[in-house]
Amino acid sequence: MKKIFALLLAVVMTLGLLAGCGTTAETPAAAEAPTAEETGTAEPAAKKIDTLKVAFVPSREPEEIITVTEPLKEMLKTELAALGYEVGEVEITVGTTYEAVGEGLEAGTIDVGLIPGGTYVLYDDGAEVILTATRDGLSKDSDNAKDWNDGQPTEASDRQTVSYRALFIAGPSEKGKALQDKVNAGEELTWEDLDGANWSVMGTSSPAGYIYPALWLQDHYGKGISDLSSAVQSDSYASAFARLASGQVDVLVTYADARRDYAERWNSEFGREGSIWEETGVIGVTAPIYNDTISVSKNSDIMDADLIAALQQAFINIGNTDAGKQVIAIYSHNGYQIAQSSDYDNERAAQKLIQELTAAN
């Protein structure tokens, strides 16, 4: 499903400043302000929302996402209550595809979506970005694939970033090992090398699982993912790594810290004897990708500027707590900062190129 892209003006959230009044000779400094009872005024009533619908993309297994994010329901209700919103229920769902969440935001059947930048720009006629995720930086961040292949785990650093990379990871199959060996020997891979492999990719709006790898292929070989002889779409990164471990595919494309997420399951669930760091290798590294978004629906019946401001503050507050970090860590998020549409202009350029490449094939 392809969209016609046009740059949208960023929504600028402005904060009013309250001017403080100094004391005068006629107004003693010790004088107390009148209470609400004395003036006959009362605190404004909370705005009521029956159901706030929040959706996640299926970058992890849906059941895992639903389980881990369960505490987010009460966290959001509590934070929004403090900001003047009484929410009856927070409903959390996981879309069947990335595109399904974008379509839900566009249709107004989803109020809030935690979606990648690629999905956001595909649906920005119906979705508005309000926050960008921050994440832990990594101990490795080289453009050179060989630098990632020292057999040692990639570790988190204490440096926070608003971007990440996608990696081409070759597995333990005969073809996968051959590709790793060639890269580690300092040799350039040919298109024939890559085209002879079986690939796992994600949906076409996934930045790390499709868009930026496609741009990398175009930049290096003048080809796209659709030009590969064998590329299958996986429904999650978990299934992609399972296929890589079993030898069903030789190469997958994913976000840079994915092997950290699946290191234990590589052995316990996917049946491998060696560590994921020993049995897989990086054969390509993309340019940095701007982080995931929290976006809201422009067509939701409940969404307005006040609720957007409250949601921004609520998610920022949640990301600043230990309990909140445990929930959002499922997407490798560490916190959130205010975002604007123009932050994702590079993503729009990427999507435009993907459309051109697809139309040409």
Side-chain angles (χ1 to χ4, degrees):
M1 66 200 64
K2 303 180 177 66
K3 304 283 177 180
I4 298 175
F5 288 90
L7 294 177
L8 300 179
L9 293 177
V11 175
V12 181
M13 306 302 301
T14 56
L15 298 174
L17 299 176
L18 297 177
C21 298
T23 58
T24 67
E26 284 118 356
T27 308
E32 296 182 359
T35 66
E37 290 182 356
E38 291 171 337
T39 61
T41 61
E43 291 295 322
K47 299 178 182 179
K48 293 188 177 181
I49 296 174
D50 292 334
T51 304
L52 180 68
K53 298 178 181 179
V54 180
F56 290 79
V57 295
S59 61
R60 303 284 284 268
E61 290 175 301
E63 289 184 6
E64 180 184 8
I65 295 172
I66 291 294
T67 299
V68 172
T69 60
E70 177 66 24
L72 182 62
K73 297 178 180 180
E74 287 303 317
M75 291 178 184
L76 275 173
K77 289 173 68 173
T78 299
E79 291 294 338
L80 289 172
L83 295 165
Y85 286 87
E86 181 183 325
V87 181
E89 178 185 4
V90 174
E91 178 184 289
I92 293 179
T93 59
V94 179
T96 53
T97 63
Y98 289 51
E99 292 79 11
V101 179
E103 290 169 359
L105 289 168
E106 192 173 59
T109 55
I110 294 171
D111 303 311
V112 182
L114 281 82
I115 58 177
T119 308
Y120 158 64
V121 300
L122 269 180
Y123 295 93
D124 62 1
D125 53 348
E128 178 178 340
V129 62
I130 64 171
L131 293 165
T132 293
T134 63
R135 63 172 66 207
D136 293 333
L138 297 175
S139 57
K140 301 171 187 174
D141 190 34
S142 174
D143 292 317
N144 188 351
K146 181 180 177 180
D147 294 340
W148 295 73
N149 297 335
D150 57 5
Q152 299 301 311
T154 302
E155 304 286 357
S157 72
D158 57 6
R159 177 177 54 89
Q160 290 299 295
T161 66
V162 292
S163 65
Y164 63 102
R165 294 180 185 270
L167 301 180
F168 295 70
I169 296 177
S173 66
E174 182 178 352
K175 179 64 175 179
K177 288 180 179 178
L179 293 172
Q180 294 177 55
D181 290 344
K182 193 168 183 178
V183 167
N184 292 337
E187 300 177 36
E188 293 288 336
L189 296 176
T190 66
W191 173 253
E192 289 69 27
D193 290 330
L194 299 179
D195 193 40
N198 294 317
W199 289 66
S200 170
V201 300
M202 300 299 287
T204 56
S205 72
S206 170
Y210 194 97
I211 297 170
Y212 279 76
L215 290 172
W216 186 90
L217 290 173
Q218 175 66 22
D219 185 48
H220 285 75
Y221 304 100
K223 303 282 188 178
I225 286 176
S226 59
D227 293 311
L228 292 166
S229 296
S230 176
V232 297
Q233 182 176 324
S234 294
D235 59 2
S236 70
Y237 285 119
S239 62
F241 273 99
R243 286 172 169 167
L244 193 71
S246 69
Q248 293 180 45
V249 298
D250 307 303
V251 180
L252 62 75
V253 286
T254 186
Y255 55 98
D257 46 347
R259 287 186 295 177
R260 297 181 66 225
D261 291 339
Y262 293 99
E264 181 179 345
R265 294 172 67 179
W266 185 257
N267 305 117
S268 64
E269 187 175 329
F270 302 154
R272 300 301 308 180
E273 293 185 1
S275 77
I276 197 170
W277 309 104
E278 298 166 338
E279 295 195 317
T280 68
V282 177
I283 62 171
V285 183
T286 73
I289 307 167
Y290 218 75
N291 280 354
D292 293 343
T293 80
I294 294 181
S295 296
V296 298
S297 172
K298 295 179 181 179
N299 299 313
S300 163
D301 291 337
I302 65 171
M303 201 59 59
D304 58 22
D306 290 339
L307 180 54
I308 287 173
L311 285 167
Q312 287 173 319
Q313 192 60 55
F315 275 105
I316 289 173
N317 291 348
I318 289 169
N320 286 335
T321 67
D322 290 340
K325 288 182 187 299
Q326 290 180 12
V327 172
I328 63 178
I330 192 167
Y331 277 170
S332 300
H333 297 178
N334 193 65
Y336 300 100
Q337 67 179 34
I338 301 294
Q340 55 187 2
S341 177
S342 60
D343 293 338
Y344 293 87
D345 283 350
N346 284 341
E347 194 69 45
R348 291 183 175 89
Q351 288 282 3
K352 181 179 179 181
L353 179 55
I354 290 296
Q355 282 194 320
E356 291 171 352
L357 292 174
T358 303
N361 287 299

